Amino acid sequence: MSNATKLPGQGLCPAPFLQAELFPDKGGFVEGRFCSALLGPTCCLPCPQTEWLYPDNFKTITNSASWINVGGMVCSVFLIASFAFLPVEKTHRHYLSVCLAVAIIIMQLGFIIPLGAKPEACFNAITPNDMDSSVTCALSGAMLLAGGWCAVMWIFLRALALHLQICWQIVIGKSFMWGALAAGWGIPAIALTFALVFSGVSFRFGDTCHINHKNSMADFWIPLLVFAAVTVIIQFGTFGYCIKVYLASLRDDSTTTNSSGVRSFNNSLRGTISPRQALRRVRRVLELQWRGIAIVLLIIADVIFFAIVFVFMDDLEASTLKNPAKAADWLGCLAANRGNKNECLKFASNLVINEPTVMAVLVLLSLNGIWSLLFLGRFSMFTGWYEKVMGKVKPNNEFVSADVRAFKDPSSYEMLSRDRDTAKTPEPQVSYSITPLSPPAAKGGRETPDYFGREARYKPDTRSFSNPKPPTTNDGWDTSPTTSPRPYVYPGMDPLSMNKI
């Protein structure tokens, strides 16, 4: 570039700097300009600043992290869809897991929205855009802050629930659920409102907007790190209790845990149990909750690492803006080399966080969706989707009666299978004996049955509640000799004559 050629807005400043007086004082994030009067007039570094402080491959790093978030988003959406459409025996869903997956999705949207929108990071040649001048900046910044807050809150609630179950033997119920829902979504909403009102977001590095330096420690970072620290304390307190129970079980030489003579210790507010009983209970809970413990440790480590790195980066930038003399060597190098940043990167290394650390932060944040599927998902989810899809693609075409599909109580069937255990056993047949009034005659030759020589005695059934009643004297028949026929049994009747031909 010849000395006669000047950049638009360069004014009296040496290349590549631009003169601040030639640009309006309103529009975009004016406080985000990197300006200094060391070179004579107030000269500003062209926007975006990260292109001058980092090598040319820095933008490739940020874009790669955004594409990793796309893969993480696929994992998170699969997890949420499984929770929503598969039966509970396939997913073992719980509101703590569902809400944590939703929080991770919100945080991933902060990186994915700029990837699709491709926003303009600068309002003009020296001023970056902020949430007032760019809708994409407002959305991506709000999603990133809200997702970070929600993830920390639901990690905190998971650690608290696990601590209550293991250390205090408290079964979390609906009261804890409603309190967790209120705190898990309410506190992040309040914190996001304070952060956007008192600090705001703007393009700091990459295509995603981050919180500004002004008031950010008080309204965002300190409260976030307080909850993260409490989560770590609760989690390690739970681990310490588990170690204590294990060591106590080693000293317990009792052969049974239910006898009255075993040595026991008071390990909770619920009562006194033996060390071996406590160890078995803790082991059962850990076997069920080890996935939740792992995801708690991973995400809380990512959030704390990101917070520490970003706060340190923010302090470096703020101190450089307040005291531009710290960057005098770098600024002089840029002016002497007429904007060749590669010759001056060695002087810029003291002004920013090194490139590998920034890369590690972005990649770890982008992997949260993949971690959530690995630790909150189960192999039964894949088999459940396979069964669901194959049931739609290859339905069973065998004719089945509509009555078979409808549930019927087996006890209503008229005939039951012989193999059913609940089938009623047939009652034994009860035969009632008839006592003859006279001894039986010897059998020989032609005999006539004795129809009237014996009397049948009535024996009531054991389950009958009725009694025999004597016949009434007058049942409505007219017994006069003129109108009634000869009775069936009458005086002088010869029973043998009825067989004569």
Side-chain angles (χ1 to χ4, degrees):
M1 182 186 301
S2 63
N3 295 333
T5 304
K6 286 190 175 183
L7 299 174
Q10 181 177 347
L12 301 177
C13 297
F17 301 99
L18 305 176
Q19 189 172 350
E21 289 80 4
L22 301 178
F23 296 91
D25 295 335
K26 295 182 180 181
F29 186 54
V30 178
E31 296 178 1
R33 295 175 178 176
F34 191 89
C35 300
S36 174
L38 293 176
L39 301 177
T42 303
C43 299
C44 301
L45 192 68
C47 180
Q49 301 166 10
T50 53
E51 291 187 358
W52 301 94
L53 294 168
Y54 289 99
D56 295 333
N57 62 345
F58 184 78
K59 187 173 181 60
T60 304
I61 293 175
T62 57
N63 289 336
S64 300
S66 298
W67 282 108
I68 296 175
N69 274 282
V70 174
M73 175 65 76
V74 173
C75 297
S76 300
V77 170
F78 173 80
L79 192 63
I80 292 295
S82 300
F83 286 150
F85 298 106
L86 293 182
V88 66
E89 60 269 14
K90 296 290 186 181
T91 61
H92 299 273
R93 60 177 175 264
H94 192 271
Y95 65 91
L96 292 175
S97 301
V98 175
C99 293
L100 178 58
V102 173
I104 293 175
I105 288 179
I106 295 174
M107 184 165 54
Q108 289 171 332
L109 288 175
F111 294 95
I112 296 178
I113 289 176
L115 190 64
K118 300 185 182 303
E120 182 62 41
C122 300
F123 181 79
N124 53 40
I126 62 174
T127 309
N129 271 317
D130 62 358
M131 63 181 186
D132 295 326
S133 58
S134 174
V135 177
T136 304
C137 177
L139 289 177
S140 64
M143 290 294 179
L144 184 61
L145 299 183
W149 255 111
C150 292
V152 170
M153 284 303 304
W154 285 108
I155 287 297
F156 164 75
L157 293 171
R158 285 188 69 94
L160 179 61
L162 185 66
H163 181 78
L164 293 177
Q165 292 179 75
I166 292 181
C167 300
W168 303 100
Q169 303 182 44
I170 296 177
V171 180
I172 57 176
K174 288 189 176 181
S175 299
F176 184 88
M177 181 189 71
W178 291 115
L181 291 174
W185 301 115
I187 293 179
I190 297 174
L192 176 64
T193 302
F194 277 93
L196 294 179
V197 171
F198 295 104
S199 294
V201 294
S202 63
F203 286 100
R204 307 287 297 276
F205 64 91
D207 292 334
T208 299
C209 281
H210 300 273
I211 190 169
N212 297 323
H213 174 73
K214 182 181 178 182
N215 301 323
S216 62
M217 293 297 297
D219 57 36
F220 185 78
W221 293 115
I222 290 179
L224 186 72
L225 290 175
V226 166
F227 275 97
V230 173
T231 303
V232 173
I233 293 173
I234 292 176
Q235 194 69 56
F236 281 98
T238 305
F239 288 159
Y241 174 80
C242 295
I243 295 173
K244 174 187 174 183
V245 170
Y246 176 72
L247 295 178
S249 67
L250 295 179
R251 296 192 301 267
D252 185 20
D253 55 354
S254 59
T255 57
T256 177
T257 59
N258 295 325
S259 61
S260 59
V262 296
R263 176 171 50 85
S264 61
F265 69 101
N266 188 9
N267 74 328
S268 69
L269 300 178
R270 292 286 180 173
T272 302
I273 61 175
S274 70
R276 292 184 185 273
Q277 287 175 319
L279 179 62
R280 284 201 299 268
R281 176 175 55 79
V282 170
R283 184 181 299 170
R284 286 195 300 267
V285 176
L286 291 178
E287 288 175 353
L288 295 174
Q289 298 292 337
W290 69 270
R291 295 179 179 88
I293 296 173
I295 195 68
V296 165
L297 295 178
L298 280 173
I299 294 183
I300 205 68
D302 289 350
V303 172
I304 292 176
F305 183 43
F306 174 76
I308 293 175
V309 170
F310 195 86
V311 168
F312 187 64
M313 179 188 298
D314 203 27
D315 289 340
L316 283 178
E317 181 180 349
S319 63
T320 303
L321 291 176
K322 291 180 181 179
N323 188 11
K326 293 181 179 180
D329 294 338
W330 175 61
L331 294 175
C333 179
L334 287 177
N337 291 279
R338 303 192 60 81
N340 187 0
K341 68 175 184 178
N342 294 323
E343 298 292 334
C344 305
L345 290 177
K346 57 184 178 180
F347 299 104
S349 59
N350 297 326
L351 305 177
V352 293
I353 299 294
N354 59 63
E355 184 180 357
T357 303
V358 177
M359 179 68 178
V361 169
L362 296 178
V363 171
L364 287 177
L365 285 178
S366 304
L367 291 175
N368 285 332
I370 300 176
W371 298 138
S372 65
L373 179 61
L374 289 178
F375 292 105
L376 299 181
R378 296 173 181 267
F379 183 75
S380 57
M381 293 181 178
F382 296 94
T383 60
W385 280 111
Y386 176 79
E387 295 172 0
K388 194 177 186 66
V389 172
M390 294 305 294
K392 298 291 185 181
V393 176
K394 296 181 179 180
N396 188 5
N397 296 324
E398 182 181 358
F399 174 76
V400 180
S401 174
D403 294 337
V404 176
R405 299 183 185 275
F407 174 79
K408 290 186 178 181
D409 187 3
S411 61
S412 62
Y413 295 155
E414 293 183 359
M415 300 182 65
L416 300 177
S417 173
R418 295 181 180 179
D419 297 333
R420 291 184 57 88
D421 296 336
T422 58
K424 182 179 177 181
T425 304
E427 297 180 357
Q429 182 178 2
V430 180
S431 60
Y432 300 101
S433 61
I434 301 177
T435 304
L437 298 180
S438 58
K443 295 183 179 180
R446 183 176 179 181
E447 296 182 356
T448 302
D450 186 7
Y451 291 98
F452 302 98
R454 56 185 179 178
E455 179 180 357
R457 295 182 181 180
Y458 174 77
K459 291 186 178 181
D461 195 324
T462 57
R463 293 175 297 178
S464 176
F465 298 94
S466 62
N467 295 321
K469 298 180 179 179
T472 57
T473 56
N474 186 4
D475 54 359
W477 290 89
D478 189 2
T479 56
S480 59
T482 57
T483 58
S484 61
R486 188 172 62 177
Y488 187 71
V489 179
Y490 54 91
M493 172 184 175
D494 185 7
L496 298 179
S497 63
M498 59 187 303
N499 292 327
K500 293 181 181 180
I501 300 177

